[in-house]
Amino acid sequence: MQIIEEKPKEGKVKVKAETLDDLWHLYHIIDPGDVVYAKTLRKQAQRSDSLRAEKVEVIPVFLGVKAEKINFHKFANQVRVTGPIVYASREDVPLGKYHTITVEEGTVVTIQKPRWKEHHIERLKEAVEASKRARVMIVVIDEGEADMALVREYGVEILNSIRYNLGGKRYNTDRESEEKRFFHDVAKTMEKVMGRERVEKAIVAGPGFVKEDFYKFLKEKYPELSKRVVIEDTSVTGRTGIYEVIKRGTVERVYHENRVAKEIQLVEKVLENIAKNNGLAVYGLREAEEAVNYGAVETLLVLDELLKGEHREKIEELMDAVRYSRGEVIVVSSEHEGGEKLKALGGLAALLRFRVR
C-alpha cells in the first residue's frame, strides 16, 4: 500500500492499492458511511433522436460514493464499494444515483471518514509496512505429492497441489526417473510462484525423508532456489501439514514479522489456557468486557468480521480501553484456521495478566 496524500482536517487519505493484500486491508478500512473517491467508468444513456433506440455509452468519470456495501472478492482481486453518488466530476452524472466503484491492484482511491479510529490507522500503517516485506511460501511434500501455500497478510492461500503416481520400488523400474520428473515439476512451480509473488523464503516440510531428497535435488539442479529453502518436519501432509508448519512457529522464525503466524499462535494460546482452566484466558463479549474493566487484559483478540457487525461500537470501546491500559489489540483475519477457531469462540477472546475470578 502506498499513501499518496493525507488531509487530516478533511479526514481524507489518498492511497494506491498495489497487491491483493492491500485490497484486503482496504476492505477492513472502509466502513459504511465513508465517502470513497476514485476514477471509474459509468454507463450513461444517450438518446440520438426520437426514432432511434437509446444508446448506452460508457464514460470515464471521477466519482465520490457514500459507501453502503463493501465487498471483498479475493478470486477476482477486487474490492467493490456501492452507494449513492455524492460527488461527480461531470455535470451530466446525476447525484444520488447508485454506483459501484471497483478497486483493483493499481487503483488510486481516496477515503474520507467522519473520524479515523485507532484500528483503521493501525491497519493502514500495517498495509504500508507489509508492502515492504517479502512473503513466505510453504511446500509440504511426501511420496509423489506436494501441496503449496502462500502466507499472505490476510491469511493462508492454498495454491498448487501436484500429484504423481510413483508406485512401489519393487515393481516400478522407472520410479527414479518419475521421482525426478516430480521434483522438477515442484521446483519449477515454486520458481514461478516465488517470482510472481515476491517470495523471499520457502519452507519445505513433510513427515518423511522425501523433503531431504528434494532438497538435495534442488542443491544439484536448482542451486539458486535451494539457497532460499528452509527444511522443517511435520507429522502429516496436505493442508493440515501446512497449518502445522505455522503452528510450530517456523514461519515466524523464518520471517519474524509475519501477521498470520502471530494470529494463529495467539489463538492457540487462548485455547491452551481455556483447556488448562487456569483463568488466564476468557472469550465472549461479556467475559472480555469484565476482564477489560479490571484492567486484566494483556492481549485482546478481535475477529475482523465483528468490526463490521452490530456490536461494532461496543467492541471498539473495548479495544480503546485495552490500549489505554497498555494492552495489545490484535484484529484476527477470518481467512485462516486461527480466525475460524476464534469465530467458534464468538469472535472475541483475551489473554489475561491475572485471573479475575
Side-chain angles (χ1 to χ4, degrees), residues 136 200-203 230 249-257:
V136 177
E200 187 177 84
K201 291 283 186 181
I203 300 167
V230 176
T250 313
V251 173
E252 200 166 59
R253 288 197 302 273
V254 170
Y255 184 33
H256 64 89
E257 291 177 300

Side-chain angles (χ1 to χ4, degrees), residues 87-321:
Y87 172 83
S89 60
R90 293 174 56 125
E91 292 182 358
D92 56 350
V93 175
L95 301 182
K97 293 285 186 180
Y98 275 69
H99 183 82
T100 296
I101 288 177
T102 300
V103 184
E104 302 174 307
E105 294 174 40
T107 300
V108 174
V109 61
T110 299
I111 305 162
Q112 183 177 28
K113 289 180 173 289
R115 182 171 75 88
W116 282 79
K117 295 172 182 175
E118 189 70 28
H119 67 89
H120 293 135
I121 296 168
E122 284 179 359
R123 189 175 278 273
L124 192 61
K125 288 177 181 176
E126 282 175 12
V128 173
E129 287 303 311
S131 66
K132 302 172 187 175
R133 302 193 296 258
R135 298 180 184 89
V136 177
M137 184 181 189
I138 299 173
V139 180
V140 176
I141 191 168
D142 202 11
E143 297 279 345
E145 61 179 81
D147 293 276
M148 302 181 186
L150 199 63
V151 185
R152 291 189 176 276
E153 283 292 297
Y154 64 80
V156 179
E157 182 182 354
I158 305 298
L159 301 172
N160 306 62
S161 290
I162 298 173
R163 298 288 185 270
Y164 275 66
N165 184 11
L166 300 181
K169 291 182 180 178
R170 179 182 296 180
Y171 303 107
N172 188 354
T173 55
D174 295 328
R175 178 188 169 86
E176 189 174 333
S177 61
E178 276 295 295
E179 187 175 62
K180 284 183 179 177
R181 282 185 58 236
F182 168 58
F183 284 169
H184 274 298
D185 197 352
V186 175
K188 286 175 182 176
T189 305
M190 286 174 66
E191 283 187 327
K192 185 177 178 181
V193 173
M194 291 173 81
R196 184 184 71 224
E197 295 287 351
R198 201 169 57 85
V199 174
E200 187 177 84
K201 291 283 186 181
I203 300 167
V204 174
F209 295 107
V210 176
K211 60 182 178 295
E212 282 87 2
D213 294 339
F214 178 59
Y215 184 61
K216 289 175 187 174
F217 170 84
L218 290 180
K219 287 177 77 174
E220 182 183 344
K221 303 291 185 181
Y222 298 81
E224 290 304 311
L225 178 58
S226 70
K227 293 174 186 176
R228 299 162 67 187
V229 166
V230 176
I231 300 297
E232 178 62 272
D233 287 316
T234 59
S235 59
V236 291
T237 58
R239 184 187 177 104
T240 307
I242 288 167
Y243 275 105
E244 186 179 338
V245 170
I246 295 170
K247 289 175 191 173
R248 283 173 178 260
T250 313
V251 173
E252 200 166 59
R253 288 197 302 273
V254 170
Y255 184 33
H256 64 89
E257 291 177 300
N258 187 266
R259 174 191 178 103
V260 174
K262 182 179 180 180
E263 290 175 8
I264 290 175
Q265 287 166 6
L266 285 171
V267 173
E268 290 296 322
K269 191 173 179 181
V270 167
L271 294 172
E272 286 171 16
N273 284 331
I274 291 171
K276 290 176 182 175
N277 197 26
N278 58 16
L280 294 177
V282 295
Y283 61 94
L285 182 57
R286 186 174 62 82
E287 289 78 5
E289 186 176 7
E290 181 184 13
V292 169
N293 290 337
Y294 276 105
V297 175
E298 184 174 60
T299 306
L300 182 69
L301 304 180
V302 181
L303 190 68
D304 53 18
E305 292 177 353
L306 296 190
L307 295 174
K308 291 186 176 289
E310 59 178 323
H311 299 297
R312 182 181 67 190
E313 290 185 6
K314 183 64 181 174
I315 290 165
E316 286 173 350
E317 288 176 10
L318 291 180
M319 292 166 70
D320 289 340

